[in-house]
Protein backbone atom coordinates (compact mmCIF):
# COMPACT_ATOMS: atom_id res chain seq x y z
CA UNK A 1 0.00 0.00 0.00
CA UNK A 2 1.14 3.54 -0.68
CA UNK A 3 2.22 5.41 2.42
CA UNK A 4 1.26 8.65 0.73
CA UNK A 5 -1.63 9.46 -1.58
CA UNK A 6 -2.22 13.15 -0.81
CA UNK A 7 -4.27 14.16 -3.82
CA UNK A 8 -4.35 17.97 -3.89
CA UNK A 9 -2.64 18.35 -0.49
CA UNK A 10 0.86 19.86 -0.80
CA UNK A 11 3.69 17.77 0.65
CA UNK A 12 6.82 19.37 2.01
CA UNK A 13 9.98 17.56 3.08
CA UNK A 14 11.28 19.12 6.32
CA UNK A 15 14.14 16.81 7.35
CA UNK A 16 12.91 15.73 10.75
CA UNK A 17 11.99 12.39 12.24
CA UNK A 18 8.51 10.94 12.26
CA UNK A 19 7.85 10.00 8.62
CA UNK A 20 4.57 11.41 7.27
CA UNK A 21 2.38 13.75 9.26
CA UNK A 22 -0.25 16.37 8.67
CA UNK A 23 -0.44 19.83 10.23
CA UNK A 24 -3.49 22.04 10.02
CA UNK A 25 -6.22 23.92 11.85
CA UNK A 26 -7.26 22.38 15.15
CA UNK A 27 -3.77 21.28 16.18
CA UNK A 28 -1.46 22.84 18.72
CA UNK A 29 1.92 22.70 17.05
CA UNK A 30 4.83 23.64 19.29
CA UNK A 31 8.41 23.93 18.09
CA UNK A 32 10.77 22.91 20.86
CA UNK A 33 14.14 24.59 20.46
CA UNK A 34 16.49 23.31 23.15
CA UNK A 35 20.27 23.48 23.39
CA UNK A 36 21.10 19.89 24.30
CA UNK A 37 24.75 20.79 24.84
CA UNK A 38 23.51 22.41 28.07
CA UNK A 39 21.80 19.15 29.00
CA UNK A 40 22.23 15.49 28.23
CA UNK A 41 23.13 14.86 24.60
CA UNK A 42 20.82 11.86 24.64
CA UNK A 43 18.18 11.80 21.91
CA UNK A 44 16.18 8.97 23.50
CA UNK A 45 16.08 10.89 26.77
CA UNK A 46 14.84 13.97 24.92
CA UNK A 47 12.03 12.07 23.21
CA UNK A 48 11.11 10.37 26.50
CA UNK A 49 10.97 13.79 28.18
CA UNK A 50 8.78 15.21 25.42
CA UNK A 51 6.43 12.25 25.74
CA UNK A 52 6.26 12.63 29.53
CA UNK A 53 5.56 16.37 29.14
CA UNK A 54 2.67 15.71 26.74
CA UNK A 55 1.25 12.91 28.92
CA UNK A 56 1.28 15.19 32.00
CA UNK A 57 -0.35 17.99 30.00
CA UNK A 58 -3.09 15.68 28.69
CA UNK A 59 -3.79 14.50 32.25
CA UNK A 60 -4.86 18.07 33.07
CA UNK A 61 -7.88 17.40 30.85
CA UNK A 62 -8.63 13.85 32.00
CA UNK A 63 -6.96 12.21 28.99
CA UNK A 64 -4.74 9.21 29.75
CA UNK A 65 -1.90 9.31 27.26
CA UNK A 66 0.26 6.24 26.62
CA UNK A 67 3.62 5.46 25.08
CA UNK A 68 4.17 2.66 22.58
CA UNK A 69 7.55 0.96 22.36
CA UNK A 70 9.58 2.27 19.43
CA UNK A 71 6.70 4.50 18.23
CA UNK A 72 7.28 8.10 19.36
CA UNK A 73 4.20 10.10 20.13
CA UNK A 74 1.30 9.77 22.52
CA UNK A 75 -1.55 7.34 22.14
CA UNK A 76 -4.91 6.85 23.85
CA UNK A 77 -6.85 3.65 24.29
CA UNK A 78 -9.95 4.02 22.12
CA UNK A 79 -10.53 0.35 21.36
CA UNK A 80 -10.36 1.13 17.63
CA UNK A 81 -8.38 -0.69 14.96
CA UNK A 82 -5.89 -3.50 15.36
CA UNK A 83 -4.05 -2.09 18.38
CA UNK A 84 -7.00 -0.41 20.08
CA UNK A 85 -4.85 2.73 20.27
CA UNK A 86 -5.15 6.01 18.42
CA UNK A 87 -2.50 8.72 18.27
CA UNK A 88 -3.38 12.08 19.79
CA UNK A 89 0.04 13.71 19.70
CA UNK A 90 3.03 13.42 17.38
CA UNK A 91 6.70 14.13 17.89
CA UNK A 92 9.04 15.01 15.05
CA UNK A 93 12.46 16.31 16.05
CA UNK A 94 15.55 17.28 14.14
CA UNK A 95 18.82 17.99 15.92
CA UNK A 96 21.58 20.10 14.42
CA UNK A 97 24.70 20.93 16.44
CA UNK A 98 22.81 19.64 19.50
CA UNK A 99 20.02 22.18 19.07
CA UNK A 100 16.54 20.76 18.56
CA UNK A 101 14.24 21.89 15.78
CA UNK A 102 10.62 21.08 15.00
CA UNK A 103 8.64 19.56 17.83
CA UNK A 104 5.19 18.30 18.71
CA UNK A 105 1.62 18.42 17.43
CA UNK A 106 -1.40 17.76 19.62
CA UNK A 107 -4.81 17.16 18.05
CA UNK A 108 -7.46 19.30 19.70
CA UNK A 109 -10.16 19.50 17.05
CA UNK A 110 -8.72 19.01 13.56
CA UNK A 111 -10.61 17.47 10.70
CA UNK A 112 -9.34 13.91 11.19
CA UNK A 113 -10.30 13.06 7.60
CA UNK A 114 -7.14 14.96 6.60
CA UNK A 115 -5.16 11.92 7.80
CA UNK A 116 -6.91 9.66 5.28
CA UNK A 117 -4.39 10.70 2.60
CA UNK A 118 -1.39 9.37 4.55
CA UNK A 119 -0.30 6.62 6.90
CA UNK A 120 0.59 8.84 9.87
CA UNK A 121 4.15 8.21 11.03
CA UNK A 122 4.11 5.00 8.97
CA UNK A 123 2.05 3.23 11.66
CA UNK A 124 -0.63 0.94 10.24
CA UNK A 125 -2.08 -0.66 13.38
CA UNK A 126 -3.41 2.49 15.03
CA UNK A 127 -5.53 5.45 14.06
CA UNK A 128 -5.62 9.11 14.92
CA UNK A 129 -7.85 10.87 17.44
CA UNK A 130 -8.36 14.27 19.02
CA UNK A 131 -9.61 15.91 22.20
CA UNK A 132 -12.96 16.53 20.47
CA UNK A 133 -13.20 12.93 19.28
CA UNK A 134 -12.72 11.88 22.91
CA UNK A 135 -15.46 14.27 24.05
CA UNK A 136 -13.05 16.77 25.62
CA UNK A 137 -13.72 20.34 24.51
CA UNK A 138 -10.85 22.76 25.18
CA UNK A 139 -9.39 25.79 23.48
CA UNK A 140 -5.81 26.50 22.43
CA UNK A 141 -5.21 28.84 25.37
CA UNK A 142 -6.11 26.10 27.85
CA UNK A 143 -3.77 23.63 26.18
CA UNK A 144 -1.01 26.24 25.99
CA UNK A 145 -1.32 26.89 29.72
CA UNK A 146 -1.14 23.18 30.54
CA UNK A 147 1.97 22.82 28.37
CA UNK A 148 3.57 25.86 30.03
CA UNK A 149 2.71 24.59 33.51
CA UNK A 150 4.14 21.13 32.89
CA UNK A 151 7.29 22.04 30.90
CA UNK A 152 9.54 22.95 33.89
CA UNK A 153 8.84 19.56 35.50
CA UNK A 154 10.50 17.77 32.59
CA UNK A 155 13.03 20.32 31.33
CA UNK A 156 14.07 22.33 34.41
CA UNK A 157 17.59 23.05 33.19
CA UNK A 158 16.20 24.59 29.99
CA UNK A 159 14.57 27.59 31.67
Amino acid sequence: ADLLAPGPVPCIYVGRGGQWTWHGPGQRVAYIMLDLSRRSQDVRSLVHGLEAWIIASLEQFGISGLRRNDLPGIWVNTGNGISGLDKIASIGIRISRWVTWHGIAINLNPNLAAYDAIVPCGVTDGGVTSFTNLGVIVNMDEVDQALKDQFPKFFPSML
Side-chain angles (χ1 to χ4, degrees):
D2 287 337
L3 290 181
L4 178 68
V9 176
C11 295
I12 301 166
Y13 178 77
V14 295
R16 54 112 186 106
Q19 296 186 27
W20 296 105
T21 194
W22 172 86
H23 293 307
Q27 285 185 321
R28 170 45 75 219
V29 175
Y31 276 29
I32 315 303
M33 298 181 77
L34 302 174
D35 182 352
L36 297 182
S37 67
R38 293 180 48 205
R39 192 181 154 89
S40 168
Q41 294 179 352
D42 182 340
V43 177
R44 286 181 192 261
S45 176
L46 169 67
V47 172
H48 192 267
L50 292 171
E51 289 173 334
W53 172 46
I54 296 167
I55 288 169
S57 298
L58 294 177
E59 286 175 356
Q60 302 294 297
F61 304 100
I63 298 173
S64 297
L66 306 166
R67 289 184 176 99
R68 290 184 70 184
N69 289 337
D70 299 321
L71 296 174
I74 302 305
W75 303 78
V76 293
N77 188 347
T78 60
N80 296 330
I82 297 168
S83 69
L85 301 174
D86 287 336
K87 189 177 250 191
I88 194 166
S90 298
I91 297 173
I93 295 291
R94 179 178 184 208
I95 300 172
S96 176
R97 296 187 175 128
W98 292 111
V99 174
T100 64
W101 300 83
H102 302 287
I104 66 169
I106 302 172
N107 293 333
L108 276 68
N109 62 349
N111 178 353
L112 295 177
Y115 288 98
D116 292 345
I118 63 173
V119 177
C121 304
V123 178
T124 58
D125 72 344
V128 180
T129 194
S130 66
F131 276 59
T132 299
N133 211 40
L134 297 172
V136 179
I137 307 304
V138 298
N139 63 46
M140 291 289 178
D141 291 337
E142 293 170 306
V143 172
D144 290 347
Q145 191 60 55
L147 290 167
K148 288 176 190 175
D149 290 346
Q150 296 302 317
F151 189 83
K153 296 175 185 174
F154 303 96
F155 300 98
S157 65
M158 295 292 147
L159 300 176

